[in-house]
Amino acid sequence: MSTHISSNKLANTRVLIVGGTSGIGFAVARVALEHGASIIVASSKSDKVNSALTRLKSFYPDEEHINRIAGTVCNLADRETLEANVVNLYNFATAPGTFPNAQGTQTTDGKVLLDHVVMTAGDALSLRNPTDPTFDVPYIESSGTVRFIGSLILAKHAATYVRQAPSSSLTFTSGVLTARPAPGWTLMAAAGAAIEGMARGLAVDLAPIRVNTVAPGAVLTEIFGTLETDNLEQMVEMFRSQTLTGEIGKPEDVAEAYLYLMKDRFVTGELIGSNGGRLLK
C-alpha cells in the first residue's frame, strides 16, 4: 500500500474539464492525467477535441496514459440546446465504456460517477465600453451564456453525475479583472463577479461536494488571438508590466491552482488567485 499522501490523491478518479482542449483547461487536463486521473476534455468544436486528444496522446504515448484520455463535443453557446448538451456531456463522461478498465463509484444504472468537474470554457472576448451603442441587451445576454449560464447548468446536474463526497469538487473560473477591471472590461468583470458569488452559493447548496473558483490573471493562451485589438504584442506587454513577477501567466502554472482545489478535501466556497501579484501593483 502506498504511503504517499499527495501525489496519489487523484489516482483512479474521473475528471471532466469543460474547455479542456486549449489554454488553462488543457493544462489542467495534463496535470490531472499526470496525477493518475482519467480525464474527459470537452469543447464546442469537434476539430478542437480531436486536436487536443492527438496532442495529449503524443505527450503521453504509453498505454497506461492513453487509456485514461477521452473527449467529446459540448456546445454551451446555444441557449436552446445548452441544457440538453450538458446532460449529453455528463452521460458520456460517466458511461462505463468511456474508459477501459474503469474504476470508481458506480450507480444502479451503471454510470461511473465523476469525482471532479472543472469549468474553464469561454467564448471569444468582444470588449465594449458601456457607452458604446452596441453595448445592448443581446450583447450582454450573449456574453454571459457560456461562462455564467453554462456554469450554472453544469452545477444543476452535478448532483446526479458527481460523487456525493467531500473528495469531489466543482471548480469554476473568473479572473483578476473582476476585482481590478481595466477600461472596457465592465461586462467581463460583472460576469466574473457573478461566477464567484454563484460558486459560494453552490458550495452551500451542493455540499458535501466542494465548489470553488480560480481567478487567473493575464495568461498567455489562444484566447489572446480573439481579442479585438490592433496591437496584440503591445497588449501582452501591458499585462506583463502590471505584475510584480514581471511575467505574463503560463497555463501550466495556473493549472496548479485547479489541481490544489481538487486535492484539498477541506476547501470549499473559496476563491484562489493566480495573477503574478496584479492586485498589489
Side-chain angles (χ1 to χ4, degrees):
M1 181 177 178
S2 173
T3 57
H4 295 174
I5 65 169
S6 177
S7 59
N8 291 337
K9 275 191 174 180
L10 294 187
N12 301 318
T13 61
R14 189 173 284 214
V15 180
L16 169 63
I17 307 102
V18 185
T21 61
S22 62
I24 294 172
F26 187 76
V28 173
R30 291 190 64 180
V31 296
L33 185 67
E34 290 173 3
H35 281 74
S38 295
I39 60 166
I40 305 101
V41 297
S43 174
S44 61
K45 297 179 180 179
S46 59
D47 59 334
K48 293 189 68 174
V49 174
N50 293 334
S51 173
L53 294 178
T54 299
R55 284 184 293 149
L56 285 167
K57 291 175 182 179
S58 68
F59 291 143
Y60 309 97
D62 55 288
E63 185 176 356
E64 191 272 331
H65 283 95
I66 287 178
N67 287 342
R68 293 189 281 111
I69 298 171
T72 190
V73 174
C74 181
N75 180 15
L76 300 179
D78 184 348
R79 292 195 181 193
E80 295 298 319
T81 62
L82 194 159
E83 188 155 9
N85 292 343
V86 165
V87 171
N88 288 337
L89 170 63
Y90 273 134
N91 283 330
F92 174 86
T94 57
T98 299
F99 299 104
N101 306 316
Q103 298 185 46
T105 302
Q106 290 201 24
T107 62
T108 54
D109 59 357
K111 290 196 295 283
V112 180
L113 295 177
L114 292 164
D115 297 280
H116 304 282
V117 178
V118 173
M119 170 63 168
T120 63
D123 43 8
L125 299 177
S126 177
L127 305 181
R128 302 178 190 179
N129 193 288
T131 60
D132 191 310
T134 63
F135 195 99
D136 52 19
V137 172
Y139 166 68
I140 295 170
E141 289 182 340
S142 65
S143 297
T145 299
V146 172
R147 289 176 174 83
F148 180 60
I149 298 178
S151 294
L152 268 176
I153 299 302
L154 278 167
K156 173 184 176 179
H157 294 279
T160 303
Y161 296 94
V162 178
R163 191 156 60 95
Q164 299 285 315
S167 57
S168 301
S169 71
L170 305 182
T171 306
F172 297 101
T173 305
S174 60
V176 71
L177 289 169
T178 296
R180 193 169 180 179
W185 286 79
T186 292
L187 192 55
M188 292 300 106
I195 289 167
E196 292 172 10
M198 174 201 72
R200 285 190 291 271
L202 289 171
V204 175
D205 288 336
L206 297 183
I209 297 171
R210 298 176 296 103
V211 186
N212 298 287
T213 307
V214 175
V219 181
L220 193 57
T221 68
E222 296 88 338
I223 203 166
F224 268 88
T226 70
L227 292 173
E228 296 176 1
T229 177
D230 296 328
N231 195 330
L232 180 59
E233 187 174 319
Q234 186 178 40
M235 177 174 282
V236 170
E237 184 54 40
M238 177 193 71
F239 283 126
R240 182 181 289 114
S241 69
Q242 292 174 344
T243 67
L244 293 177
T245 59
E247 295 182 337
I248 195 167
K250 297 178 181 179
E252 58 267 30
D253 291 329
V254 177
E256 298 289 342
Y258 296 83
L259 180 65
Y260 161 68
L261 291 173
M262 284 188 272
K263 292 170 66 176
D264 185 344
R265 302 177 185 188
F266 202 51
V267 59
T268 191
E270 296 294 338
L271 175 68
I272 303 297
S274 179
N275 56 54
R278 173 70 181 96
L279 295 178
L280 301 175
K281 185 71 180 280

